[in-house]
Amino acid sequence: MQRPFYITTPIYYVNDRPHIGHAYTTIAADLLVRYQKLTGRETFFLTGTDEHGTKIAEAAEKAGVEPKAFCDQVVQHFKKSWQNLLVSYDGFIRTTDQKHINSVRKLLTILNDARTESGEPIIYSGTYEGLYCTACEKFLTERELVDGVCPDHKIPPTVLKEKNYFFRLSAYLDKLKKLIETDQLMIRPQERRREVLGLFEQGLTDFSASREKVKWGIPLPYDSSQVAYVWIEALSNYISGIGYGDDEDQFDKWWRNAETVHLMAKDILKFHCIWWPAMLMAAGLPIPDKIFLHGYFTVDGEKMSKTLGNQIDPNDMIEQFGPDATRYLLQTQYPFGADGDIQKSRFVAKYNSDLANDLGNLVSRVAKMIMASFDGKLPKPAESLDGGDEIIAEAEKLPETVMAHINKFKILAAIEAVLGLVRTANRFFDTNAPWKLVKNGSPDKAGGVLYICAEAIRIIATLISPVMPSKSLEILGVLGLGDEALSLDNARTFYYLEPGCKIKIKGSVFPRLKDEKKKDKTEKKIIDNNLLDTSEFARAEMVVAEVISAERVEGADRLLKLQIDIGSEKRQIVAGVAQFYTPEEITGKKIVVVKNLKPAKIRGVESNGILLAAKKGKKLCLVVPEGDLPPGAAIN
RNA sequence: GGCGGUGUAGCUCAGUUGGUUAGAGCAGCGGAAUCAUAAUCCGCGUGUCCGGGGUUCAAGUCCCUGCACCGCUACCA
């Protein structure tokens, strides 16, 4: 008997609607769990939402509702999206659920009482020092500051200390490192595992376990003036969602006795691969078995961004391709785990070649011929068909091949293996040409060809069902089967279909799509939102300037410090062009600068203005006046 | 600059612990067939496996080095 299988996605922060990134991870998890289910394994799939924190509280206030009510609304978008994408989770944990809160409080209590092997408390009190904006009532990172002031309130933050509890991560580092090295905590892909091990070399410090100033959160059981730190709270969802502190039997089953897998994108590597196992060790709980971190994708070679207008909305894809093909297309763009590029132009081509031409057409030609030549009844198998033994062998071997890939998270390889059988079946159909056999008076032989193809289709539909759950059922329906047929065991055995069973097909399973480009609509929308008033544009005072001298800024490889002449005066600016221009090259050039920009300090160097340059990918060019104009000439 | 990654056919990528003539899909060209969603099937690729060293009987596959690119990170007003 196999161990039960437990898989999670991260919980998603509800300050955002679900986007393609969320969808990608969640579809992958759903697909992996469905494959496990095919083998007959008991499975549990947990996803959910992260709903605490200052940002949420603020967003709720803006919307004029209580935080909880605000979250309730956003959560519906997530649930709806997952439903639309055929994601079938077993648990949906919200960090505002009472059972989550209870669970976190239990964990915190245990951690607070626990001691390290050398007898030190795991949780200790310390001070956190940071930049605090009194108007926001929150700590800001240096990165968030604009010109050294709070971007919202334009006031400088004060350096403030607050009491925090800390988690003694340092006590677990050696042990944890060994667990990772020995794969007892299996981190995949390998490059991510190396990255984690690299973090140990770079030094890891204890982290905050609580915050004092945050209000929307879970108060510590032992100090109600503090709230559990976001990562402590969020990571706990993986156990609160399966009964920790609530239903011990369930927790035993899914955490202590199951194979536990966390799936996520690589950005949250440190928290999951280091903090989370350390917390569990401190609490005396088992660590997860596997952590898989998939990569990031770009769209048409560029990072997704609103200004580029190259985002992919899962809902748009569903509208164009349907939920099954959307899942298929997203998972076949590049290998799972690696970084990759999604090219929208490939969607239609891939859909047509794989799904319409190969799979859909196979189903169609086989079913229609059975209907036309065999009265819609599945004919009997026949002997000695050209390539018959080979296709049967390939089909019977396929379940093992597919699962071997899936168990290594090689989703693309698994899918391609299934598609291989589709191609074999089309080839088999062609070489035996049953339509000729019918005409030549060998209907039995023709029937045998069709029987083998029908069986291949059944096995294909079963093995692709985790990727395309509803389309697979539609295909099985053509063969007169339902979801009871969906199991790996059934896929392993040929001659499952009874000769004589009714075969019927209505339309096309995957109708061919026209390859046309009609995305102008969305592009226009984005431009409209960005329209400027003439007066707004005029606020930027641009002038021609001459570079008098230039030098590199020490310790920064992108920065040049420029002394420039703007006619009325000489001033200094800092520009991020060092990778494209040497100081010598840029000296003497006439450039365009915005002169009425707030002064700023960059890398400790004062900058009074910004120069104009055009950049695309790896190329950057200064914007220069086409003719000869003196410094100070205004640009309108 | 630090850490990590990548570099194989026009494009997207496979190439397992080093071992025979380096593969697949897509696109392209030519042909066959007409059951089927103008879908399918067959044939066609001498690719400096980024460059340079090295280890080895043997390297796309290991080691060193250089270059290019990507991600995170610091700095990009």
Side-chain angles (χ1 to χ4, degrees):
Chain A
M1 194 59 190
Q2 305 181 83
R3 275 197 297 169
F5 180 82
Y6 173 48
I7 192 167
T8 67
T9 71
I11 47 174
Y12 304 117
Y13 204 48
V14 291
N15 68 337
D16 200 0
R17 293 279 184 96
H19 55 66
I20 197 77
H22 300 134
Y24 183 79
T25 312
T26 309
I27 290 169
D30 183 64
L31 180 157
L32 290 169
V33 87
R34 284 174 185 268
Y35 271 111
Q36 296 300 335
K37 216 178 278 183
L38 264 192
T39 70
R41 243 175 142 173
E42 276 194 284
T43 58
F44 196 99
F45 171 18
L46 182 73
T47 186
T49 45
D50 184 4
E51 305 182 10
H52 283 129
T54 309
K55 267 189 200 166
I56 302 296
E58 284 170 355
E61 201 179 330
K62 242 182 223 168
V65 292
E66 288 299 305
K68 182 63 170 36
F70 174 81
C71 295
D72 288 346
Q73 289 172 14
V74 185
V75 164
Q76 288 318 310
H77 293 298
F78 277 89
K79 290 191 169 175
K80 187 79 188 150
S81 285
W82 302 157
Q83 193 186 337
N84 291 344
L85 284 165
L86 311 175
V87 169
S88 63
Y89 48 80
D90 300 290
F92 191 101
I93 185 76
R94 301 179 53 182
T95 56
T96 52
D97 286 342
Q98 193 57 47
K99 73 171 184 181
H100 176 76
I101 294 166
N102 294 344
S103 170
V104 169
R105 290 172 66 87
K106 174 176 172 175
L107 182 67
L108 288 167
T109 305
I110 287 175
L111 288 177
N112 190 46
D113 293 341
R115 294 291 177 272
T116 65
E117 278 175 18
S118 52
E120 293 167 309
I122 285 161
I123 301 292
Y124 64 92
S125 168
T127 48
Y128 174 86
E129 191 179 301
L131 301 166
Y132 188 79
C133 174
T134 47
C136 301
E137 297 182 13
K138 71 177 179 190
F139 284 97
L140 302 171
T141 63
E142 268 183 58
R143 214 187 159 76
E144 287 174 301
L145 298 183
V146 177
D147 295 342
V149 300
C150 164
D152 294 336
H153 301 94
K154 316 292 179 204
I155 55 171
T158 48
V159 175
L160 195 76
K161 295 179 181 179
E162 71 165 35
K163 179 181 160 187
N164 266 193
Y165 291 96
F166 283 83
F167 180 89
R168 202 179 299 276
L169 179 66
S170 47
Y172 298 94
L173 291 177
D174 290 345
K175 206 170 159 192
L176 179 58
K177 193 175 169 207
K178 286 210 182 67
L179 290 169
I180 295 171
E181 281 167 344
T182 58
D183 265 353
Q184 283 172 271
L185 172 58
M186 195 190 274
I187 296 168
R188 288 294 183 277
Q190 286 287 358
E191 55 263 35
R192 296 280 94 75
R193 176 170 171 270
R194 263 177 244 135
E195 194 174 335
V196 174
L197 289 170
L199 288 176
F200 284 91
E201 306 307 319
Q202 292 179 49
L204 289 156
T205 52
D206 294 350
F207 58 87
S208 286
S210 68
R211 280 290 145 89
E212 190 175 25
K213 297 279 196 269
V214 176
K215 295 285 172 276
W216 178 234
I218 301 178
L220 301 185
Y222 48 87
D223 183 345
S224 58
S225 73
Q226 301 254 337
V227 146
Y229 183 57
V230 44
W231 277 106
I232 296 246
E233 204 224 301
L235 291 163
S236 306
N237 93 84
Y238 299 130
I239 55 176
S240 68
I242 46 165
Y244 180 71
D246 173 44
D247 180 340
E248 284 306 311
D249 288 345
Q250 197 199 10
F251 181 68
D252 279 353
K253 177 170 181 181
W254 297 112
W255 192 260
R256 295 182 194 276
N257 300 325
E259 178 182 0
T260 50
V261 180
H262 295 313
L263 189 69
M264 71 208 66
K266 64 184 184 179
D267 55 337
I268 45 183
L269 169 141
K270 184 165 87 176
F271 311 112
H272 284 78
C273 296
I274 295 177
W275 291 13
W276 175 230
M279 282 166 57
L280 290 163
M281 286 159 74
L285 294 169
I287 59 169
D289 291 297
K290 293 180 185 170
I291 298 178
F292 191 91
L293 304 112
H294 69 249
Y296 284 161
F297 54 79
T298 49
V299 175
D300 296 328
E302 308 256 23
K303 272 211 229 183
M304 259 196 298
S305 75
K306 285 182 186 170
T307 46
L308 284 175
N310 65 345
Q311 297 151 299
I312 298 176
D313 185 332
N315 295 313
D316 290 348
M317 279 191 76
I318 292 170
E319 203 176 305
Q320 189 178 5
F321 301 106
D324 296 88
T326 295
R327 291 161 62 101
Y328 182 90
L329 291 172
L330 284 177
Q331 296 298 335
T332 51
Q333 290 288 308
Y334 62 94
F336 191 57
D339 289 339
D341 187 39
I342 289 184
Q343 288 167 244
K344 289 189 195 171
S345 58
R346 280 203 309 239
F347 283 151
V348 173
K350 185 87 178 155
Y351 173 95
N352 279 339
S353 79
D354 287 6
L355 300 180
N357 297 355
D358 288 354
L359 177 55
N361 186 228
L362 173 69
V363 175
S364 174
R365 71 201 303 202
V366 170
K368 287 197 172 158
M369 188 158 178
I370 293 175
M371 286 171 48
S373 303
F374 293 86
D375 196 24
K377 290 182 189 135
L378 183 66
K380 286 200 277 286
E383 296 293 310
S384 63
L385 298 167
D386 198 359
D389 293 342
E390 286 81 358
I391 187 174
I392 293 172
E394 183 181 341
E396 289 186 332
K397 193 179 68 183
L398 193 57
E400 264 52 56
T401 309
V402 167
M403 285 314 294
H405 287 311
I406 288 298
N407 287 327
K408 288 187 221 150
F409 300 93
K410 295 190 169 181
I411 294 175
L412 179 60
I415 293 173
E416 281 178 346
V418 179
L419 225 69
L421 182 58
V422 175
R423 297 198 177 99
T424 303
N426 269 322
R427 197 177 311 130
F428 174 76
F429 193 90
D430 267 315
T431 42
N432 285 286
W435 63 92
K436 280 185 188 164
L437 294 172
V438 168
K439 283 179 199 159
N440 298 346
S442 310
D444 289 353
K445 219 170 170 190
V449 173
L450 292 169
Y451 183 87
I452 286 184
C453 287
E455 274 290 273
I457 289 169
R458 175 183 65 81
I459 290 167
I460 288 159
T462 306
L463 293 176
I464 205 71
S465 67
V467 184
M468 301 191 284
S470 76
K471 284 293 177 186
S472 297
L473 280 178
E474 194 178 325
I475 293 170
L476 288 176
V478 170
L479 307 175
L481 299 171
D483 55 5
E484 77 288 343
L486 283 178
S487 85
L488 206 67
D489 280 340
N490 287 344
R492 266 192 274 259
T493 40
F494 225 79
Y495 306 111
Y496 174 90
L497 284 167
E498 295 285 344
C501 71
K502 204 93 182 110
I503 305 289
K504 59 168 186 291
I505 189 165
K506 292 164 255 168
S508 300
V509 184
F510 296 103
R512 228 183 126 73
L513 296 176
K514 282 252 164 18
D515 193 353
E516 54 187 344
K517 290 159 195 167
K518 46 168 184 178
K519 47 190 174 181
D520 307 10
K521 249 195 285 173
T522 47
E523 272 171 22
K524 268 196 191 132
K525 229 186 281 172
I526 288 152
I527 294 164
D528 286 344
N529 292 340
N530 280 337
L531 289 184
L532 285 183
D533 269 330
T534 329
S535 61
E536 286 176 282
F537 172 71
R539 289 191 59 210
E541 292 176 25
M542 289 182 275
V543 296
V544 173
E546 181 168 354
V547 181
I548 303 163
S549 67
E551 60 181 296
R552 288 181 172 278
V553 175
E554 205 167 323
D557 33 292
R558 293 193 188 165
L559 300 185
L560 286 185
K561 182 166 79 175
L562 309 177
Q563 307 302 328
I564 57 168
D565 180 356
I566 58 167
S568 52
E569 57 175 306
K570 303 198 176 11
R571 54 165 77 171
Q572 170 175 302
I573 66 171
V574 174
V577 295
Q579 294 173 312
F580 308 97
Y581 293 90
T582 64
E584 295 72 40
E585 278 171 351
I586 202 167
T587 301
K589 278 209 178 355
K590 293 263 176 66
I591 59 172
V592 175
V593 299
V594 179
K595 69 173 189 180
N596 60 333
L597 208 68
K598 282 180 193 162
K601 272 205 171 171
I602 301 147
R603 198 67 178 186
V605 182
E606 191 161 326
S607 181
N608 297 296
I610 183 171
L611 65 74
L612 266 52
K615 187 178 177 198
K616 165 89 181 175
K618 297 104 220 160
K619 282 224 169 106
L620 181 139
C621 292
L622 294 173
V623 172
V624 298
E626 189 267 333
D628 191 32
L629 281 170
I635 289 162
N636 299 305

